[in-house]
């Protein structure tokens, strides 16, 4: 039985964010994301069809919303972003890398 | 906006396992569990109606299956336990406490 580890950092990690699905998406997407300093492109807002429960397992990051609200997140912080709530990633730490776990689905 | 943290240990934690749902269960249950040395009762097997993706965020633990297979898990290890796959928790560490994140639902 192969067991995988949420804290493993792929050796080939470079300047791009790393995305992997823990399981095939059958209505619920469980996604691990590793960020190393990236942010959303200027002017870009996520506008997602599904609710997202986003958890930061390692690192530090900042999210932002169109009305000017921001949220600094550290290790272990989590929040729910309802479907179609526009938001962006303002900042992610590179040392240590941010390890996110996100659950996308009908959660509310 | 209240942000909660996966690594917070409730101050009232005693000899019982601690369970909390991150969100109301609307078909997907996202559950945080803190174990401090507990194991499943002798002869007890979980037999769950839903698939479970179980992740160990902190601590060390051992799972077991009826045919004699066991699995030692450490920080960050995760696995999928399909619905009705009988299993039990043989052992959990108390120092540090085990912090589990479990997602129960139709995942496969």
């Amino acid at each position: 039985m192969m067991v995988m580890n949420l804290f493993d950092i792929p050796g080939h990690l470079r300047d791009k964010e790393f995305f992997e699905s823990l399981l095939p998406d059958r209505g619920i997407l469980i996604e691990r994301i590793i960020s190393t300093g990236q942010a959303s492109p200027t002017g870009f807002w996520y506008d997602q069809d599904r609710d997202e429960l986003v958890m930061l397992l390692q690192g530090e990051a900042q999210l932002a919303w169109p009305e000017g609200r921001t949220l600094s997140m550290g290790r272990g912080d989590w929040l729910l972003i309802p479907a179609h709530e526009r938001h962006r990633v303002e900042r992610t730490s590179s040392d240590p890398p941010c390890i996110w776990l996100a659950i996308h689905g009908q959660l509310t």
Side-chain angles (χ1 to χ4, degrees), chain A:
Chain A
M1 175 171 31
M2 187 175 62
V3 174
M4 291 189 281
N5 193 289
L6 296 170
F7 295 102
D8 281 354
I9 302 283
H12 59 273
L13 205 62
R14 294 254 198 291
D15 298 335
K16 289 190 57 160
E17 282 187 308
F18 170 87
F19 295 83
E20 72 175 354
S21 299
L22 272 54
L23 300 173
D25 183 352
R26 308 219 189 281
I28 297 287
L29 172 62
I30 304 172
E31 186 178 42
R32 190 170 77 111
I33 305 161
I34 303 178
S35 312
T36 53
Q38 295 85 7
S40 302
T42 305
F44 173 85
W45 298 97
Y46 285 100
D47 183 349
Q48 303 178 125
D49 289 336
R50 294 189 280 189
D51 304 315
E52 177 178 4
L53 181 76
V54 61
M55 298 169 264
L56 187 58
L57 301 183
Q58 175 183 289
E60 306 212 335
Q62 190 175 57
L63 303 185
W65 285 260
E67 73 276 21
R69 178 166 53 107
T70 61
L71 176 70
S72 292
M73 298 180 70
R75 171 181 174 274
D77 288 336
W78 65 270
L79 86 159
L80 179 74
I81 302 175
H84 297 297
E85 181 178 286
R86 296 168 74 215
H87 64 283
R88 49 180 278 121
V89 179
E90 284 287 344
R91 187 178 59 76
T92 62
S93 63
S94 58
D95 185 18
C98 283
I99 301 178
W100 305 90
L101 187 70
I103 304 172
H104 303 262
Q106 169 84 48
L107 304 177
T108 56

